[in-house]
Amino acid sequence: MKVVHFFPFSASCRMGEFAGTVWFYLDRRHRAITLDNLKRAFGRELSEAQQVDLARKTYRTLGRVLMECISLPSLTAEALRDYVSISGLRHLREAQKQGKGILILTAHFGNWELLALAFNLYGFRSSAVARPLDNPYLDRLVKSIRSKYGNQLISKKGAVKEIIRCLAQKGMVGVLIDQNVSSREGVFVDFFGTPASTTPVLAALSQKTGAPVLPIFMVPRKRDNGMGENGYVIKIGKPVTLINTGEKERDLIVNTARFTHIIEEHIRAYPHCWFWMHRRWKIRPEDQLQEWGKIRQAGEQ
């Protein structure tokens, strides 16, 4: 990281893209997961060669994202504002008027670490739910980067109580719901045409607190000459109107499905920006049935 700080930011980003391309060829395990995920999502839309091309571009993008994160400590606030712009502030103002705090719907998309930092840099203090990293040294490093501009970090373990407290103070909390969760924790909703075990926590929190759900994603910004990408735009969408029929369990699933559909729309628009290396469809509906069966048996005993 110290070596990277000696290079201009643009050069570091290009180095990251090159490193990502090399990583694509070396990382056989995650490359296989990525290609399997892309086949599941785009098997009917993209040829095998196009899927490989998209996988390679995804790795290149992730290499750039990693280098952007490493370079953050050396970037000035002005440089970061130049690199990241923001749109859709009217939707944020609309949600703030409700006075119930804001739940941010987002995903492991674009540079999700930079999203939180830049959002705070524009004067919108927010908190984010994150799982502590297994490596304590790396965890301390990442936490220092994440909290550089006043971000508050909420540990995933026991997060609900802290999120509710934050919303009660009219704060904003980002929740990423695009990764596989265990059969006990998730509900199955459609994601690229296949049921995916998804946390319903965002829908549950909104139902409980009345806080509006605001989609916020960091998308790549095109260069002025149209050649390639240069920086990002934080796109703030309209608050999502939740379905409320009075049937809590059903509403939970329906609203989680709607949130997941919004994530899918963004991925389809910028498919190289999502974290395809994750086994999103790892847990299957039959796994959940088996888990429930074990719980029932234990209860009977």
Side-chain angles (χ1 to χ4, degrees):
M1 287 180 65
K2 289 179 179 178
V3 171
V4 168
H5 294 166
F6 286 107
F7 291 91
F9 181 61
S10 57
S12 296
C13 290
R14 288 194 297 271
M15 287 165 53
E17 290 177 352
F18 175 75
T21 303
V22 173
W23 183 20
F24 170 77
Y25 291 104
L26 296 178
D27 184 14
R28 295 176 61 182
R29 177 172 172 266
H30 290 98
R31 183 176 71 237
I33 294 172
T34 299
L35 290 170
D36 182 63
N37 285 340
L38 289 172
K39 183 177 181 180
R40 191 188 293 266
F42 297 113
R44 295 182 180 180
E45 303 169 40
L46 300 177
S47 67
E48 190 172 325
Q50 288 174 317
Q51 292 170 37
V52 172
D53 221 34
L54 178 54
R56 191 182 297 110
K57 190 175 182 182
T58 299
Y59 267 79
R60 190 164 63 245
T61 299
L62 192 59
R64 182 188 183 96
V65 165
L66 178 62
M67 203 60 76
E68 287 170 344
C69 290
I70 290 175
S71 301
L72 277 174
S74 63
L75 285 181
T76 64
E78 292 75 18
L80 193 51
R81 286 195 190 92
D82 287 340
Y83 197 62
V84 181
S85 55
I86 191 167
S87 70
L89 281 173
R90 65 187 183 281
H91 301 312
L92 177 62
R93 304 298 186 197
E94 179 186 341
Q96 285 177 324
K97 287 178 183 177
Q98 297 186 33
K100 297 180 178 180
I102 296 173
L103 288 163
I104 297 172
L105 163 63
T106 191
H108 294 85
F109 181 91
N111 191 333
W112 60 91
E113 297 287 356
L114 189 57
L115 168 62
L117 285 177
F119 199 59
N120 277 263
L121 193 60
Y122 276 100
F124 303 106
R125 291 285 178 263
S126 64
S127 302
V129 179
R131 182 184 71 83
L133 301 180
D134 297 329
N135 185 311
Y137 303 102
L138 190 58
D139 186 56
R140 281 201 297 271
L141 175 64
V142 170
K143 280 181 178 177
S144 69
I145 292 173
R146 286 174 172 171
S147 58
K148 182 177 180 181
Y149 293 114
N151 268 5
Q152 290 186 347
L153 303 177
I154 298 175
S155 177
K156 187 177 179 181
K157 186 177 181 181
V160 172
K161 199 174 287 186
E162 185 63 23
I163 292 172
I164 292 174
R165 186 192 65 78
C166 185
L167 293 173
Q169 296 175 354
K170 301 181 181 179
M172 292 185 282
V173 182
V175 184
L176 290 76
I177 65 164
D178 62 325
Q179 292 202 326
N180 175 79
V181 295
S182 72
S183 54
R184 290 188 181 188
E185 297 175 325
V187 296
F188 283 92
V189 298
D190 183 84
F191 185 57
F192 283 94
T194 303
S197 183
T198 308
T199 176
V201 67
L202 189 63
L205 285 166
S206 186
Q207 285 179 192
K208 181 177 180 64
T209 65
V213 176
L214 203 62
I216 301 180
F217 292 84
M218 179 176 273
V219 304
R221 183 174 61 199
K222 296 292 183 182
R223 294 183 184 275
D224 293 337
N225 60 9
M227 301 293 289
E229 299 166 356
N230 181 35
Y232 299 92
V233 179
I234 296 175
K235 290 185 67 176
I236 305 173
K238 296 179 180 179
V240 183
T241 303
L242 266 67
I243 302 298
N244 184 10
T245 65
E247 298 180 37
K248 288 187 177 181
E249 294 298 322
R250 180 181 175 278
D251 291 346
L252 210 61
I253 296 172
V254 170
N255 287 318
T256 300
R258 296 178 71 221
F259 299 154
T260 302
H261 179 68
I262 291 171
I263 292 173
E264 182 178 327
E265 284 182 325
H266 283 81
I267 296 171
R268 286 186 175 277
Y270 306 92
H272 63 293
C273 291
W274 191 58
F275 193 69
W276 291 100
M277 296 80 175
H278 169 70
R279 293 180 64 191
R280 182 64 182 93
W281 292 277
K282 179 181 178 181
I283 299 295
R284 309 308 313 130
E286 54 268 28
D287 298 331
Q288 191 175 63
L289 290 174
Q290 290 175 5
E291 186 68 39
W292 288 345
K294 291 177 183 177
I295 293 172
R296 280 198 297 271
Q297 285 180 0
E300 292 170 359
Q301 291 173 359

